[in-house]
Amino acid sequence: GRRQRITVNDGTSTTVVDLTSSYVDGAWIHIPVSVAAGGKIDITATKTGGLTAVVSGVFLGGPGSPP
């Protein structure tokens, strides 16, 4: 199955998360970042097993207010 390393660099720090067990239904990871307006975040998915590495969704910001 798919295995990968996720690297997140927000210009201040770099966080690495290894997804070392096979996952079929997806995996959630939580990495706090702090970037000023106009800043940049680098997110890299590196294949460590299986055919591909993938990032399907990135959610930024805090929870919104309900309508």
Side-chain angles (χ1 to χ4, degrees):
R2 179 180 285 140
R3 290 169 177 80
Q4 64 189 33
R5 171 175 292 134
I6 305 291
T7 305
V8 177
N9 182 327
D10 66 4
T12 302
S13 64
T14 300
T15 302
V16 177
V17 176
D18 286 313
L19 301 174
T20 57
S21 44
S22 180
Y23 58 94
V24 178
D25 295 325
W28 285 88
I29 62 170
H30 177 258
I31 301 173
V33 295
S34 180
V35 179
K40 178 176 127 175
I41 300 172
D42 291 321
I43 302 171
T44 305
T46 305
K47 175 183 75 157
T48 60
L51 297 175
T52 60
V54 64
V55 173
S56 296
V58 176
F59 304 93
L60 301 172
S65 299

